[in-house]
Amino acid sequence: MGIAVRLSGISKRFGSFTANSNISLSIEEGTIHGLVGENGAGKSTLTKIIYGMLQPTVGEFFVDGKPAHFASPREAINAGIGMVHQHFMLIPKLSAAENIMLGNEQAGIFQPLRLKHLISLIRKYAEEYGLAVNPDAIIENLSVGEEQRVEILKLLFRHASIMIFDEPTAVLTPLEREQLFKTLRSLRDKGKTIILITHKLDEVLSVADTISVMRKGELKGTMPASSITKPELARLMVGRSVLLRITNPPPSSGKTVLTVNNLGYYTAKGEEKLHNLTFKVRAGEIYGIAGVEGNGQSELLQALYGLSPSGTLLSGEAVLKGMSLLGKKPSEITAMGISLTPENRLRHAVILDYSISENLLFGRHREAAFHRRIGFDREAVNSYTQQMIADYDIKCTYPSSQPLSSLSGGNQQKIVLARELNRPDISLLILAQPTRGVDIGAIETIHNKIIEARTKGMAILLISSELEEIIALSTRICTLYKGSIRHEFTQDEVAKKRDSEDEFQKEIGLYIT
């Protein structure tokens, strides 16, 4: 078996920052090569060099034994390299066939498009590789899994022999994930070379032939997937031992804190986003909502925290300890005892140009504990800041002056969680995608803090697209599909099924698709 891609001494610098440092790596043709590492480890930079989106500062690389100098992705495509990005590059209003052909119409300026011939080629590739897609279907009407198949067909249509997949399972259901792995193995068996970027260790261990680990821009090792365990892989990624499965002691649930009854949500255009949504969250429990994004999770958060856009029509009830939440402002809801970590921290929870200390204080700046006469009590603010940094293992140097933008995504998320978990008089904590874009080491800290809050009696509503996270943390689990709950797993069921996580994920998957 030959070498499809060989990197020799590749370094990439952006000013004084080194994203890749002296990377030498060989990727065998006809294999699935996993590339893992924490955020900022340099994985994406390295694959962007291979795909022609970036050029190396130092070093060289070879494709099929020949020196490669790609000035653009077009040149990489012409050399047989394709990439499926984490966020798909599709035009929603066009058909699957039109998206696949776009930019590769195989016709001259004054020649007619051989549409029937090209569609027959698409059908041929779809059948050969088990990629069930209707070429005439409009992209905006397809599921996420079908959109991904269109992206793969685009690569096949361009005769790509080397395929790069960037976090391909981030938005897939368990069934779609298994179908993707089946497709990747089929592509490999037919001679394609797959480069798989992922942070999900179970997945890379199950599907990859070889795994390379990056940390802080450096290559820390390359080994057969069969020769390394999940804890060993995590240790290479983080540089220390990581607790992969948190201890989740049996809960002691108390009185009902939140009651949602027949909640309906209609947009200003009359689209129904939530339909008769009914559930309860008790003190001392984590109520997990599992589902593929886009099935009403965002609308539920808006309704519960007073963020619904103008023109939205809400029906039913959302009650916190006997007090209605519907129609109230976020400040009023916070005062009632609800704390929120939103889906998108950059848009709704932090200001990157402000300091770490200031971000820890946002939303809490009116609390009497932080004031002295007409100004802030700097000693109290500094004491609080240092306490949060220590308790949540936030990696920073000068919290009063260092901008939040200088921290990793994991440390930014720890700041949001520290601020919201430690508000006084909180009855309900709403967590939306609490570890999105967070490194494996930071996930350990965040999960432990969530469990700690639950054991102290806090009621927690957890919304996450990561089934592994839902299963690990939740006391009870409901599945959300098209704005309605399709099934609820009881506390006893969750406790019994948690030990067979793969099977439990598949069972949950049946209710969210």
Side-chain angles (χ1 to χ4, degrees), residues 262-448:
N262 291 324
L263 183 62
Y265 183 114
Y266 288 86
T267 68
K269 294 182 179 179
E271 298 174 285
E272 187 180 35
K273 295 296 185 179
L274 297 175
H275 176 73
N276 290 342
L277 198 63
T278 299
F279 63 89
K280 294 181 179 181
V281 185
R282 300 188 293 258
E285 77 165 349
I286 299 174
Y287 190 84
I289 296 183
V292 180
E293 290 185 65
N295 279 277
Q297 294 94 327
S298 296
E299 289 76 15
L300 174 60
L301 290 173
Q302 291 170 10
L304 293 180
Y305 208 69
L307 297 170
S308 302
S310 176
T312 300
L313 178 62
L314 300 175
S315 61
E317 296 179 318
V319 177
L320 180 78
K321 291 185 172 180
M323 299 178 291
S324 177
L325 298 172
L326 301 187
K328 291 193 169 55
K329 299 176 182 178
S331 58
E332 295 173 320
I333 291 171
T334 299
M336 291 168 65
I338 293 183
S339 191
L340 168 72
T341 65
E343 296 174 287
N344 189 325
R345 64 175 174 269
L346 299 182
R347 182 177 296 176
H348 297 126
V350 299
I351 300 177
L352 291 175
D353 292 338
Y354 280 55
S355 72
I356 292 160
S357 181
E358 288 167 330
N359 275 278
L360 279 166
L361 203 59
F362 285 151
R364 301 191 59 185
H365 54 282
R366 291 187 178 89
E367 292 177 19
F370 299 125
H371 287 268
R372 177 182 293 172
R373 299 187 183 91
I374 61 172
F376 282 110
D377 183 339
R378 292 298 170 187
E379 185 176 338
V381 171
N382 289 337
S383 176
Y384 158 73
T385 298
Q386 293 299 331
Q387 188 66 52
M388 294 301 97
I389 289 171
D391 287 352
Y392 287 79
D393 191 29
I394 298 167
K395 308 295 185 186
C396 62
T397 309
Y398 305 107
S400 61
S401 60
Q402 187 177 350
L404 190 75
S405 59
S406 66
L407 301 189
S408 69
N411 281 298
Q412 291 176 14
Q413 188 69 0
K414 286 181 191 176
I415 285 172
V416 176
L417 196 72
R419 183 183 70 209
E420 300 304 323
L421 265 174
N422 288 277
R423 287 181 184 272
D425 303 320
I426 289 298
S427 301
L428 174 69
L429 175 65
I430 302 175
L431 301 171
Q433 316 296 346
T435 57
R436 171 175 283 163
V438 172
D439 302 328
I440 189 170
I443 289 174
E444 177 188 12
T445 300
I446 290 172
H447 281 184
N448 279 323

Side-chain angles (χ1 to χ4, degrees), residues 96-111:
E98 289 168 332
N99 271 277
I100 291 167
M101 289 184 277
L102 195 62
N104 190 36
E105 293 83 358
Q106 301 179 23
I109 297 176
F110 300 108
Q111 292 177 326

